[in-house]
Amino acid sequence: MVGVGFRREFAEEMISGEHIRPDFIEFAPENWMNIGGYWKKVLHRVVEKYPVLCHGLSLSIGSPEALDKSFLQYVKTFLREYNVQIYSEHLSYSKCDNAHLYDLLPIPFRMDAVKHIAGRIQQVQDYLQRPLVMEIVSYYTPVAAEMSEVDFINEVVKQSGCQLLLDVNNIYVNAFNHQYDAKAFIQQLPLSKVAYIHMAGHEQVAPDLIIDTHGEPIIDPVYDLFEWTIQHLQPVPVLLERDFNIPEMAELQGELTRLKNICHKQWKRKDELVA
Amino acid sequence: MNLLPDTYHIQQTFSTYCRTGEKVKLPGVAPHRLKHYRQLVFNMIHDTMENAFPIAFKHIPTAKWNKMVKEFFSKHACQSYQVWKLPLEFYTYAVAHNWEDTYSIPFLNDLLAFEWAEMEVYNMEDIPAPAYSLSGNWLDTPLVLNPEHRLLSFHYPVHLVAKPKDILKNKGVYFVLLFRHPETGHVEFTDLSPWLAFLTEQLTSGITVRDILEYAPQLNITDTGTLEQDTLAFLKHMQQLHFVLGFQQ
Ligand SMILES: [Fe+2]
């Protein structure tokens, strides 16, 4: 299953399915909750056509302060209403001092943060009655780290029982920005816990820095890393993220096809198991 | 709480930096990398406000606008987990902090209110209309209005005039009705006279046109003999625009 992030900019093309035909779509519940009018009608048309996975933005699992219960209640209702098969979120924080920041801030890689986050993931999983799939985010600087990133992730997974969203582009970006070996990093992850994959493009803004923009096509080295990675995984859904600089649908479909071919080649008969 | 005070404090320092852009020292953090977070976060907020308030953005000098967005984001704790609702917080912050005076833009509150209302009416959750029939008596049957609307009053004609100079010259009393077309979802807006604004408000509470017309003398409305006719013509026109839906059953 290879899907694409659903955006208003190409909603009609997705519904017509003429130039692009993903196996599923993904969107952020926050962008579609409590919406009526024109866009609600569009949402209903698109969810009739494609299976839906959701990728949240505002849960802020790494926040120092308490979880927002009323927000979770909306999420729960929304996931049920749209028959959402996977709810994923980010291993980061986007809210602090009771203020939302609408971006993914890096959590200090520390054992107390692990315990704190693991407890919160369990709270969310208990409340939503479904596993949380946590994405390893791209980051541009570590913050007051006391352990390695990969140990941090392993501990969070072990202590919380969550699943992982492996964004292959994020790993590529992080490996570049923090000068480590992407494959070695992936090999140390609890790969049996990977339930979902993201793929995207990025932008290099300095000789030593890549920003994870989702505004460019996927580059060849990220395809290569993807092909290498999935040989170590059970078949899971794969998503193409494109948030800015939206190209012609044929170009996006080209990326979907390329991803699909790689999945077929590496996962062969296992492929449709996840469909 | 499993989080140690030190880690808590580090997270606060990091996020405060993203909100204010004011220099901080954080262990293990390279300043030239940190600045990208401030840029990414602030650009997002700036873009959101520019998209929500295109007219205000166009009219207000860039330096002033940037200062407003900066002040808002650094001093206000954004409450909405949905970024599209954040412009409402920007507008209420402007009102609460008397920005009309601070930034010498007397029509600021009206303009922000107008632009926010357009966005809100466009996006807001569907409100089911009560059952109605298409036949009835315009004077005596209570009307059913499109519930997806907002009626606003302004001191400046921000909904009618484009240039700030002209807006300022025309200080007065204005009413504007915004509503969402039930089929297309487009937001339409109409300038209303004080009488038609009063009429609209009273119709919302289920009062008949005949009863509302009886109030006209008390409102100092000079009935030149065509008030009833003009009022009905307005309502029939609004029916064509899908604001008046029909008659109560
Ligand atoms: Fe991702």
Side-chain angles (χ1 to χ4, degrees):
Chain A
M1 278 225 303
V2 177
V4 71
F6 177 61
R7 298 196 59 87
R8 292 181 180 203
E9 293 91 324
F10 50 88
E12 284 305 328
E13 283 101 326
M14 295 277 292
I15 291 166
S16 94
E18 212 180 305
H19 300 294
I20 186 162
R21 261 197 171 278
D23 298 322
F24 67 93
I25 56 165
E26 181 214 83
F27 52 77
E30 290 84 350
N31 291 342
W32 296 91
M33 285 193 284
N34 320 104
I35 292 270
Y38 175 76
W39 287 109
K40 176 140 190 180
K41 289 179 188 152
V42 169
L43 183 64
H44 281 184
R45 281 160 67 210
V46 79
V47 302
E48 248 169 50
K49 190 156 177 147
Y50 299 103
V52 177
L53 309 192
C54 273
H55 189 46
L57 295 169
S58 300
L59 178 65
S60 195
I61 204 72
S63 278
E65 59 235 38
L67 284 162
D68 182 343
K69 292 280 164 57
S70 68
F71 166 70
L72 275 175
Q73 207 174 330
Y74 273 120
V75 171
K76 190 173 185 173
T77 313
F78 187 89
L79 298 179
R80 212 184 289 142
E81 186 181 348
Y82 291 99
N83 192 22
V84 174
Q85 303 177 11
I86 287 181
Y87 174 52
S88 62
E89 252 287 356
H90 300 91
L91 200 47
S92 64
Y93 72 115
S94 58
K95 187 183 179 193
C96 195
D97 293 323
N98 192 32
H100 284 277
L101 286 104
Y102 312 99
D103 203 354
L104 309 172
L105 309 188
I107 301 166
F109 302 141
R110 293 177 159 199
M111 202 46 106
D112 60 318
V114 168
K115 283 200 189 110
H116 175 67
I117 290 165
R120 286 161 65 86
I121 291 176
Q122 283 171 337
Q123 260 181 286
V124 175
Q125 294 188 139
D126 288 349
Y127 181 75
L128 296 179
Q129 289 291 299
R130 58 162 77 219
L132 257 186
V133 182
M134 297 305 301
E135 175 171 11
I136 303 167
V137 296
S138 47
Y139 63 105
Y140 310 118
T141 175
V143 184
E146 291 176 351
M147 61 203 290
S148 72
E149 181 191 0
V150 81
D151 288 346
F152 176 80
I153 293 161
N154 271 283
E155 278 300 323
V156 168
V157 171
K158 198 169 90 187
Q159 293 190 25
S160 71
C162 73
Q163 299 179 334
L164 276 182
L165 193 178
L166 186 59
D167 185 318
V168 177
N169 178 60
N170 288 355
I171 308 299
Y172 180 90
V173 168
N174 290 342
F176 181 89
N177 288 343
H178 310 298
Q179 293 166 6
Y180 58 68
D181 182 63
K183 288 181 183 171
F185 180 89
I186 290 170
Q187 246 156 355
Q188 293 174 69
L189 291 173
L191 292 178
S192 64
K193 294 287 192 174
V194 173
Y196 190 17
I197 290 180
H198 273 182
M199 285 287 281
H202 57 241
E203 191 184 340
Q204 186 168 347
V205 297
D208 67 340
L209 184 68
I210 294 177
I211 301 281
D212 179 25
T213 54
H214 298 179
E216 304 291 325
I218 304 166
I219 61 166
D220 285 345
V222 176
Y223 277 113
D224 294 342
L225 185 60
F226 171 71
E227 180 151 17
W228 178 88
T229 302
I230 67 169
Q231 295 171 43
H232 305 273
L233 299 177
Q234 289 297 306
V236 293
V238 175
L239 181 93
L240 169 66
E241 300 183 286
R242 186 64 179 259
D243 298 334
F244 300 101
N245 237 338
I246 311 286
E248 292 292 314
M249 289 303 104
E251 191 183 321
L252 280 190
Q253 181 59 51
E255 291 186 274
L256 290 179
T257 307
R258 185 163 170 190
L259 290 169
K260 208 160 183 162
N261 288 340
I262 298 171
C263 292
H264 274 295
K265 186 172 146 206
Q266 298 302 340
W267 282 335
K268 292 186 190 90
R269 65 199 182 286
K270 290 188 203 164
D271 188 57
E272 295 310 317
L273 286 177
V274 281
Chain B
M1 167 82 95
N2 288 307
L3 209 58
L4 297 174
D6 183 45
T7 308
Y8 197 148
H9 180 69
I10 286 165
Q11 289 192 266
Q12 285 179 311
T13 308
F14 194 101
S15 69
T16 305
Y17 165 74
C18 292
R19 285 173 61 188
T20 63
E22 282 160 27
K23 261 195 181 167
V24 290
K25 266 205 173 144
L26 280 163
V29 172
H32 69 287
R33 291 284 179 92
L34 184 62
K35 73 168 201 268
H36 289 282
Y37 280 99
R38 163 67 182 168
Q39 271 167 19
L40 290 167
V41 168
F42 188 72
N43 286 349
M44 161 77 160
I45 301 300
H46 196 274
D47 288 353
T48 301
M49 296 313 157
E50 185 182 332
N51 292 332
F53 303 113
I55 308 173
F57 178 74
K58 205 176 134 198
H59 285 347
I60 297 169
T62 309
K64 215 182 243 191
W65 177 262
N66 289 347
K67 202 172 164 223
M68 289 160 75
V69 177
K70 266 186 194 154
E71 177 188 333
F72 164 72
F73 190 58
S74 59
K75 299 206 173 133
H76 171 75
C78 297
Q79 292 301 295
S80 175
Y81 50 79
Q82 295 183 279
V83 76
W84 77 267
K85 288 186 180 167
L86 195 54
L88 171 62
E89 294 180 36
F90 184 79
Y91 160 57
T92 49
Y93 186 92
V95 174
H97 291 81
N98 208 14
W99 273 6
E100 287 187 336
D101 290 344
T102 315
Y103 291 100
S104 315
I105 310 168
F107 58 86
L108 183 68
N109 291 354
D110 286 352
L111 184 52
L112 296 181
F114 177 57
E115 296 204 85
W116 165 250
E118 264 191 295
M119 181 170 239
E120 186 192 24
V121 173
Y122 183 64
N123 283 312
M124 69 186 188
E125 281 187 274
D126 297 340
I127 307 172
Y132 59 88
S133 79
L134 291 174
S135 57
N137 184 303
W138 282 98
L139 282 172
D140 295 314
T141 315
L143 300 179
V144 174
L145 304 183
N146 177 343
E148 294 168 346
H149 75 264
R150 291 279 182 276
L151 179 61
L152 305 176
S153 71
F154 296 145
H155 296 297
Y156 293 93
V158 291
H159 56 303
L160 299 174
V161 182
K163 285 186 187 148
K165 250 191 207 164
D166 298 331
I167 295 178
L168 288 170
K169 258 192 269 169
N170 288 287
K171 191 175 182 192
V173 180
Y174 296 91
F175 296 92
V176 59
L177 173 70
L178 298 102
F179 57 97
R180 186 162 77 191
H181 190 289
E183 269 99 56
T184 65
H186 291 160
V187 176
E188 319 274 348
F189 68 90
T190 311
D191 176 65
L192 297 182
S193 67
W195 163 249
L196 293 178
F198 175 74
L199 170 82
T200 304
E201 200 174 58
Q202 297 306 308
L203 288 173
T204 318
S205 16
I207 301 173
T208 63
V209 176
R210 187 184 299 283
D211 288 345
I212 299 167
L213 281 165
E214 273 173 25
Y215 270 100
Q218 291 176 45
L219 295 170
N220 288 327
I221 303 283
T222 27
D223 187 349
T224 52
T226 59
L227 186 67
E228 181 180 314
Q229 201 187 322
D230 293 347
T231 302
L232 294 184
F234 164 75
L235 290 170
K236 284 172 190 170
H237 176 62
M238 293 312 280
Q239 188 182 28
Q240 279 165 6
L241 297 180
H242 299 269
F243 174 65
V244 174
L245 298 176
F247 302 89
Q248 271 186 30
Q249 286 174 336

